[in-house]
């Protein structure tokens, strides 16, 4: 239904009946701006979804705004529901802006935004309103927000390459799509660069194994635990996680304790290393807070405009909670001297080093970037294959 | 791949299959006594969650495993009570519990999502672990994997080599006959269902405290193992050794799917993962076809000699369930 | 040991299976228990062996001491062992396992020792069984031997055998008897349950006869067969006029038909049955008449020979083909085979009729049911589930299900458990069918009934079939002896 | 009879009370207020028209599956493979849609074809279980379970393989179909009156099939006493197969509805677990078609209403599943207890 008919009754009933709402009402003098968030996984998954959830909390404490959220928004956990329907639940609870946090919700976010023109929509990791994008649509009340995790992955790859004694790096890939391809490739570029930079004697091997989904489903996906174990026991002494929950950490911890020195790079969530600090080289993480804050404020004060935001890190202060869209936290397992080299690398990136510069060939050898050519955003975003030198499938067919 | 890496891979399969082995052994015991415990899928999840929660809060891994067994035993007790005492359909009750326990584990497990908890480490056994191939395969595992090896041997010996085990076979085969041989059939059914349940309950912590450490709710990747274990039980023809072999075979096929991924680029990884199931159905067909009555009819029509031959062949493949599986026993 | 029953009663629901039994069995004797089907023999023995509980007030004394038998476990403790009528062993398991199962052996039974003990015992009693063989490959006789060996090894002192001689060959029987005769020397008491006169006569020191759950008398040698038969089947009842329909041409003919099942083989049956004719099958349970009857219904495939219905060869055809050709079969196990528990009488009548269209005409079904219930005077309403009917009324319902017309009606124990009026009534109905040129084959354990209602009689004894005997030319006594396996030599040549 | 039916009602009420009691205890144990939880679930399902419409969206496939299962159950078969049959229905429907994607046939016709395709797909999948059971002697539970896994794998294979979106492969499923391929929805609501109608018609048909027809009666006979049914002249194994086919077709129809009226594409967990939930409903209504509608509606309401729990009370929605399960469990236990009482009453 259209919020025009929906929202008012929901609004009026919300404070009356819902305990949290009334509390919020008493806390904030003015009626707080309510924004909703749809999380694809559990809000406390220690990964992708939790990063979004905590960004929401960040916004709550920066502004008086109040967050309502619904997690596990996927057909398996919410049988018979669609994200747009669930978004309406949030609107019914008073949300004036809804964040869709997964690529899987792209269509739903479009549908919802069109059906509810007076509700603001943020589609994280999507590209619908990117004028230069392949799937551009004009949706005034929708905004795309994504962090340039490419840099995070480059740093991750670098840390991996520096710390690997065998020069063999494993990458725990989820399912194959544009996003996962470009991130995996970035990790490879970072690894390659630092491998040469540190003049490693080993020769670099970078292998991706796709498990088939963002997390394990028995009988259908390859078990990431087995994949990690297989990597570690076949000489890949560093495994970079590209999936939602970094199961490579506990596995590395176990195998190390059992005498197979194994290292891991986590993903998505700033505190992901805490599961097994002593084997963690670090974690590239999303810091959605700043961009969400800006977007939500613009929605609140009417300065909203539909746009595609692809924010990079704050190079002056990589892990600044208030300014940097992505960051990298070093882990305890990263040796001092490697940490030093890594900082140099970060500095170079800050200084304008762009690893997405030619010559770069695709996995099948076709040239992608000519010598000296710098990749356009589209070329990075829509990377058609893995890169030459990487092992693993480029597409599921 | 070097022999070394293959060995490690196989050793990994033995470890990763430990939970399924427990589940399969438990179910085998229970069904041997004539009670189908269909609740496995839920039981495993609930005991995985419960076991982890206990181990985490008490920071005592052993208590965690015990908690898992307790949960499994309690669920099994409900199945036993409903089917033996209240004469309700074992399948119905078991199925309901399978779904309920799953949701319960998600509902109650929320606080333990993703918290780092205790985990078993491998304990190489001094001398044995140095035996060339066998050492790497069997003697560099963790405690629960060793336990799974023992469990296989123990259940096998129990069923086929001990006095009570012999009686167990009888109870599942023809309760009345076991009864006149002095067995308290329904009591024994209770006992074995609960013990079997405890074994199934051990599968949960074997995941959440060893091979797949931690609790991640819906994304723990444990939902489904119970149903898989159920098929493996049938595949095992109610023989612990054969059932355990089934569990390892399943693990092996999964592992194969993993190592073949780079080779079979045409096939999405998901398909390789599911390969065991058609296989399972096929074997079910082979072991069961002897029980189909049209086979008997066609056999009856055949000439003496051929009939004898086919009858032998079928008998060889056939694994008929305990005759009294799911049949309540009432004296009068 | 000395066994004494005091006022033993047993009810199954409303069935009074044992009525106030008082019986003393002296130690070291071979006691025979004789009685027709359903007399209550097995029930009494099951009570003694702790398999079922007698009603309160009943008492059992062993060597003068009153004992409470809660379960077979207790019975075993008291040294009581029972060989059940239908062998209670484990067919898919090995003989040795069957032997060991329930033995008070060590925790890890020593199979080697057990095998030795087994073979020793086997040779002592002259049995030849391979302990590694599977039970389901044994004949009934061999399975009994196995049970006996097991009980002997358990060291029982009271040996109960419930109809051990149904379905074993004469040779096997002799072996068995030889064994049993050794027991009294070892101060073992034997209770031998049977309805086979010759067995009882040749084996037992004393015989108790049960009828309809009551102990009607005890006999000691010398026995007169006539007396037995009289006591077993009770005094005659007047069944009114014997009437038989005019017989027409052949309906069913069996040429050199051979049948076999796990229990027994029947070779080269040659019979012709004509329109309007009633054939009675006499014989004790499991003497082959069931097999014969089911072969005529198409439920059992003959292993040889030819079955023709009205000149049409149906040998090897399925039951449904037989049914389409007007053969109807009424099994004895009512709630297991004949009726569908959970469905009402109306449902059954509707099912038995040819479907008219897709939807059931409830009203028509109702009226049909009412009129059938009336005409077969079934005590029950159209909507009462069949399992709630009394046994006798279930039987009436079964008969009411027969459609019309039929060329052959096969009935197992058509009047078992019916009171005498209903028997006469039912037979009235059946005879009407005969007048409509249907022919009837029925089996019954009531010889009176067989003589009264059949035109010709086939007597069965452990797989042997007599020539058809003219019902007018024989008597209860003769039949009684024949089904007991006596006097077959005399009738060998006779033709009807 | 009447007396026992009355006592039946009484005991069912006891079961209901026990279930809510247990769930309340669970809630209290994690100090959440049961009353508030139940109130929110109720508001979240019947609170407003839009929410009720969502309930109906879940109600449609659930009712269809239940209808199908009533048929197999009355044949004495435990068709646990129904889950996979729903999936195959969805796959077949998607296949038909894709086949006619470029065609200029009237959409109405294509939709109809697609829905029939779904029914056929489901029926075929059920036939596998049936054949395994009837000719292979494979218990329908184990055959069905195996086929469920295969069905889901097939979906995932199609979504990530042949039917994947250009360039992308994601859990969001295949490319959504054009709007004219969707069953018409009510204004401003997500429920399609057509889907609702079809589901209601289906359960009514099944009701009469089982209550009023020779087929249904014979099916019952086969289910209650295979042997006697055979002797009464019913071709028993054919009837077993029929029941599988019918159930499969209805399950396939449910799958078709998921595609044609809800998701407009094939997604990985398209069956949404309705197959298993349907088994629960069938058990709870003790296989009586009469009660299918209210109970299926109730279960659907629990599914939808429970969405409020995380939003409003920060509780996990899986509570609804717990409640559903506990309900059925107590229904079974209490029924068992009741029969025991009756038996006692007869013996004394
Ligand atoms: N478990 C039971 N439930 C109900 N009725 C039973 C049961 N067992 C026996 N009866 C009934 O009790 C009566 C006596 O049965 P019993 O088996 O003792 O007869 P029997 O003398 O052994 O007959 P047969 O010679 O055929 O073995 C029969 O009417 C029988 O139907
Ligand atoms: N399962 C049942 N449910 C309801 N009523 C039953 C049930 N079984 C028996 N009855 C009733 O109990 C009464 C006695 O049944 P039973 O079969 O013992 O009768 P009976 O004395 O054997 O009569 P008949 O001589 O006709 O066999 C009958 O009225 C019958 O309706
Ligand atoms: Mg008897
Ligand atoms: Mg009676």
């Amino acid at each position: 239904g259209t919020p025009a008919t929906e929202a008012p009754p929901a609004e009026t009933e919300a404070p009356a009946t819902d305990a949290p709402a009334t509390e919020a009402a008493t806390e904030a003098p003015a009626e707080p701006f309510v924004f909703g968030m749809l999380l694809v996984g559990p809000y406390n998954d220690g990964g992708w979804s939790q990063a979004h959830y905590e960004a929401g909390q960040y916004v709550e404490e920066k502004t008086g705004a109040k967050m309502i959220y619904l997690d596990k928004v996927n057909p398996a956990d919410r049988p018979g529901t669609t994200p747009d329907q669930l978004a309406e639940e949030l609107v019914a609870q008073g949300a004036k802006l809804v964040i869709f946090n997964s690529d899987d919700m792209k269509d739903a976010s479009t549908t919802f935004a069109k059906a509810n023109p007076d509700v603001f929509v943020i589609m994280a990791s999507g590209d619908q309103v990117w004028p230069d994008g392949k799937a551009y649509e004009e949706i005034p009340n929708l905004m795309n927000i994504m962090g340039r995790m490419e840099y995070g992955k480059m740093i991750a790859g670098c840390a991996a390459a520096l710390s690997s004694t065998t020069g063999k790096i494993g990458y725990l890939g989820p399912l194959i799509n544009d996003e996962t391809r470009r991130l995996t490739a970035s990790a490879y570029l970072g690894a390659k660069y630092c491998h040469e930079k540190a003049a490693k004697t080993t020769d670099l091997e970078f292998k991706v194994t796709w498990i088939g989904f963002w997390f394990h489903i028995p009988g259908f996906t390859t078990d990431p635990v087995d994949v990690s174990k297989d990597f570690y026991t076949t000489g890949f002494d560093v495994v970079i996680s590209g999936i939602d929950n970094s199961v490579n950490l506990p596995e590395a911890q176990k195998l190390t304790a059992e005498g197979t020195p194994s290292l891991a790079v986590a993903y998505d969530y700033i505190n992901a290393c805490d599961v097994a600090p002593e084997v963690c080289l670090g974690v590239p993480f999303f810091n959605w807070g700043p961009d969400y804050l800006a977007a939500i404020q613009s929605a609140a004060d009417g300065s909203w405009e539909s746009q595609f935001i692809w924010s990079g890190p704050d190079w002056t202060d990589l892990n600044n909670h208030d300014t940097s869209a992505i960051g990298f936290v070093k882990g305890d397992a990263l040796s001092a001297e490697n940490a030093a080299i890594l900082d140099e690398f970060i500095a170079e990136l800050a200084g304008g080093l762009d690893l997405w510069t030619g010559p770069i060939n695709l996995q099948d050898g076709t040239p992608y970037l000519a010598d000296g050519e710098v990749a356009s955003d589209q070329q990075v975003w829509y990377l058609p294959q893995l890169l030459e030198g990487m092992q693993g499938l480029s597409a599921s067919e | 791949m070097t022999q070394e890496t293959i060995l490690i891979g196989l050793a990994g399969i033995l470890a990763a299959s430990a939970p399924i082995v427990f589940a399969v052994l438990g179910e085998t015991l229970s069904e041997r006594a004539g009670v189908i415990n269909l609740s496995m899928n839920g039981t495993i999840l609930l005991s995985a969650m419960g076991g982890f929660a206990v181990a985490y809060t008490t920071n005592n891994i052993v208590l965690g495993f015990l908690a898992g067994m307790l949960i499994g035993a309690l669920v099994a007790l409900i199945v036993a009570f409903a089917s033996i005492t209240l004469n309700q359909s074992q399948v119905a009750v078991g199925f309901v519990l399978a779904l309920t326990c799953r949701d319960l584990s998600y509902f109650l497990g929320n606080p333990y999502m993703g918290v780092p908890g205790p985990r078993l480490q491998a304990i190489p056994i001094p001398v044995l672990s140095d035996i060339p191939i066998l050492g790497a395969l069997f003697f560099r595992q963790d405690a629960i994997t060793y336990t799974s090896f023992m469990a296989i041997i123990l259940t096998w010996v129990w069923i086929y080599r001990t006095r009570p085990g012999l009686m167990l076979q009888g109870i599942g085969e023809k309760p009345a006959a076991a009864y006149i041989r002095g067995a308290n059939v329904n009591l024994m059914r209770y006992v074995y269902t609960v013990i079997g349940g405890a074994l199934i309950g051990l599968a949960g912590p074997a995941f959440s405290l060893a091979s797949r450490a931690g609790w991640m709710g819906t994304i723990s990747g444990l939902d489904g193992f119970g149903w898989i274990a159920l098929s493996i039980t049938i595949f095992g023809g109610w023989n612990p050794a054969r059932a355990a072999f089934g569990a390892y075979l399943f693990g092996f096929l999964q592992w194969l799917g993993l190592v073949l991924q780079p080779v079979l680029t045409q096939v999405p990884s998901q398909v390789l993962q599911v390969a065991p199931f058609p296989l399972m159905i096929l074997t079910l067909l082979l072991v069961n076809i002897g029980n189909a009555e049209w086979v008997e009819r066609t056999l009856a029509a055949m000439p003496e000699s051929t009939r004898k031959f086919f009858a032998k062949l079928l008998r060889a493949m056939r694994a008929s369930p305990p005759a009294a599986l799911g049949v309540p026993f009432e004296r009068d | 040991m000395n066994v004494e029953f005091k006022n033993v009663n047993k009810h199954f629901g409303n069935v009074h299976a044992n009525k106030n039994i008082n019986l003393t069995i002296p130690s070291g004797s071979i006691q025979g228990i004789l009685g027709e089907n359903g007399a209550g023999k097995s029930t009494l023995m099951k009570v003694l062996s702790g398999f079922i509980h007698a009603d309160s007030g009943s008492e059992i004394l062993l060597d003068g001491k009153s004992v409470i038998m809660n379960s077979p476990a207790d019975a075993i403790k008291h040294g009581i062992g029972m060989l059940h009528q239908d062998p209670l062993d484990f067919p898919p398991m090995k003989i040795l396992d069957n032997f060991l199962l329930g033995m008070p052996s060590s925790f890890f039974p020593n199979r080697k020792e057990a095998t030795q003990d087994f073979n020793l015992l086997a040779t002592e009693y002259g049995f030849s069984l391979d302990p590694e063989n599977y039970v389901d490959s044994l004949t009934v006789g061999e399975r009994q031997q196995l049970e006996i060996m097991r009980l002997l090894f358990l060291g029982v002192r009271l040996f109960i055998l419930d109809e051990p001689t149904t379905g074993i060959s004469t040779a096997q029987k002799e072996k068995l008897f030889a064994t049993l005769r050794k027991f009294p020397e070892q101060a073992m008491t034997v209770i031998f349950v049977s309805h086979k006169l010759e067995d009882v006569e040749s084996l037992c020191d004393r015989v108790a006869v049960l009828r309809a759950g009551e102990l009607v008398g005890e006999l000691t040698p010398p026995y007169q067969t006539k007396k037995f038969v009289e006591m077993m089947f009770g005094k005659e009842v007047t069944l009114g006029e014997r009437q038989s329909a005019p017989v027409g041409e052949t309906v069913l003919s069996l040429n050199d038909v051979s049948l076999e099942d796990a229990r027994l083989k029947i070779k080269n049956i040659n019979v012709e049955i004509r329109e309007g004719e009633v054939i009675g099958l006499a014989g004790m349970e499991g003497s082959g008449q069931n097999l014969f009857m089911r072969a005529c219904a198409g439920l059992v495939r003959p292993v040889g020979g030819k079955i023709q219905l009205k000149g049409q060869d149906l040998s090897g055809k399925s039951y449904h083909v037989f049914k389409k050709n007007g053969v109807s079969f009424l099994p004895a196990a009512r709630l297991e085979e004949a009726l569908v528990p959970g469905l009402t009488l109306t449902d059954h009548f509707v099912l038995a009729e040819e479907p008219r269209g897709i939807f059931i005409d409830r009203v028509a079904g109702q009226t049909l049911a009412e009129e059938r219930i009336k005409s077969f005077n079934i005590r029950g309403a159209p909507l009462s589930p069949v399992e709630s009917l009394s046994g006798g009324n279930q039987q009436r319902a079964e008969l009411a299900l027969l459609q019309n017309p039929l060329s052959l009606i096969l009935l197992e124990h058509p009047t078992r458990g019916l009171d005498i009026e209903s028997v006469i009534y039912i037979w009235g109905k059946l005879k009407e069918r005969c007048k409509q040129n249907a022919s009837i084959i029925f089996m019954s354990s009531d010889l009176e009934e067989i003589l009264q209602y059949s035109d010709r009689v086939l007597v069965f004894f452990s797989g042997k079939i007599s020539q058809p005997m003219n019902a007018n030319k024989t008597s209860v006594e003769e039949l009684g002896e024949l089904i007991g396996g006596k006097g077959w030599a005399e009738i060998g040549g006779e033709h009807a | 009879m009447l007396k026992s039916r009355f006592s039946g009602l009484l005991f069912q009420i006891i079961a209901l009370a026990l279930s809510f009691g247990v769930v309340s205890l669970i809630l209290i144990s994690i100090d959440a207020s049961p009353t508030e939880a139940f109130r929110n679930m109720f508001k979240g399902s019947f609170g407003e028209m839009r929410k009720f419409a969502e309930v109906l969206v879940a109600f449609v496939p659930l009712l269809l599956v239940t209808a199908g299962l009533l048929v197999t159950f009355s044949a004495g078969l435990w068709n646990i493979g129904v889950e996979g049959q729903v999936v195959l229905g969805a796959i077949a429907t998607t296949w038909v849609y894709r086949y006619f994607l470029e065609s200029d046939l009237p959409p109405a016709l294509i939709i109809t074809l697609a829905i029939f395709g779904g029914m056929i797909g489901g029926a075929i999948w059920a036939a596998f279980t049936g054949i395994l059971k009837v000719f292979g002697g494979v218990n329908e539970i184990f055959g069905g379970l195996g086929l469920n896994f295969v069905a889901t794998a097939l979906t995932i294979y199609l979504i990530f393989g042949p039917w994947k979106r250009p360039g992308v492969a994601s859990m969001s499923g295949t490319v959504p179909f054009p709007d004219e391929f969707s069953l018409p929805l009510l204004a401003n609501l997500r429920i399609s009156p057509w889907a609702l109608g079809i589901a209601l018609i289906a359960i009514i048909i099944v009701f009469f099939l089982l209550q009023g027809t020779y087929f249904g009666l014979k099916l019952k006979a086969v289910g209650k006493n295979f042997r006697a049914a055979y002797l009464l002249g019913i071709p028993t194994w054919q009837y077993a197969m029929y029941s599988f086919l019918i159930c499969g077709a209805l399950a396939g129809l449910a799958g078709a509805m998921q595609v044609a009226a809800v998701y407009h594409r094939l997604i990985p967990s398209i069956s949404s677990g309705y197959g298993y939930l349907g088994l629960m409903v069938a058990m709870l209504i003790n296989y009586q078609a009469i009660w299918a509608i209210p109970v299926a509606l109730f279960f659907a309401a629990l599914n939808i209403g429970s969405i409020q729990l995380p939003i409003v009370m920060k509780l996990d929605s899986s509570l609804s599943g717990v409640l559903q399960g506990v309900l059925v469990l107590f229904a079974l236990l209490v029924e068992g207890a009741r029969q025991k009482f009756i038996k006692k009453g007869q013996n004394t």
Side-chain angles (χ1 to χ4, degrees), chain D residues 260-304:
Chain D
V262 183
Y263 290 108
H264 315 302
R265 59 156 103 69
L266 184 63
I267 58 167
S269 44
I270 188 75
S271 74
S272 305
Y274 288 132
Y276 290 150
L277 201 55
L279 282 163
M280 301 269 259
V281 175
M283 281 187 253
L284 186 53
I285 62 180
N286 195 19
Y287 320 115
Q288 303 301 311
I290 288 278
W291 300 103
I293 292 178
V295 174
L297 193 66
F298 177 50
F299 270 40
L302 287 176
N303 272 14
I304 299 302

Side-chain angles (χ1 to χ4, degrees), chain B residues 218-230:
Chain B
T218 46
I219 61 175
S220 306
L222 300 186
D223 190 2
F225 275 119
W227 299 123
I228 294 167
L230 199 66

Side-chain angles (χ1 to χ4, degrees), chain C residues 37-38 40-43 46 85 162-163 193 195:
Chain C
N37 293 113
K41 309 183 292 294
S42 300
T43 304
K46 285 176 182 168
Q85 183 169 4
D162 191 353
E163 300 184 25
V193 178
H195 27 217

Side-chain angles (χ1 to χ4, degrees), chain B residues 204-215:
Chain B
F207 278 124
S208 62
L209 295 175
S211 68
R212 250 172 226 75
W215 175 252

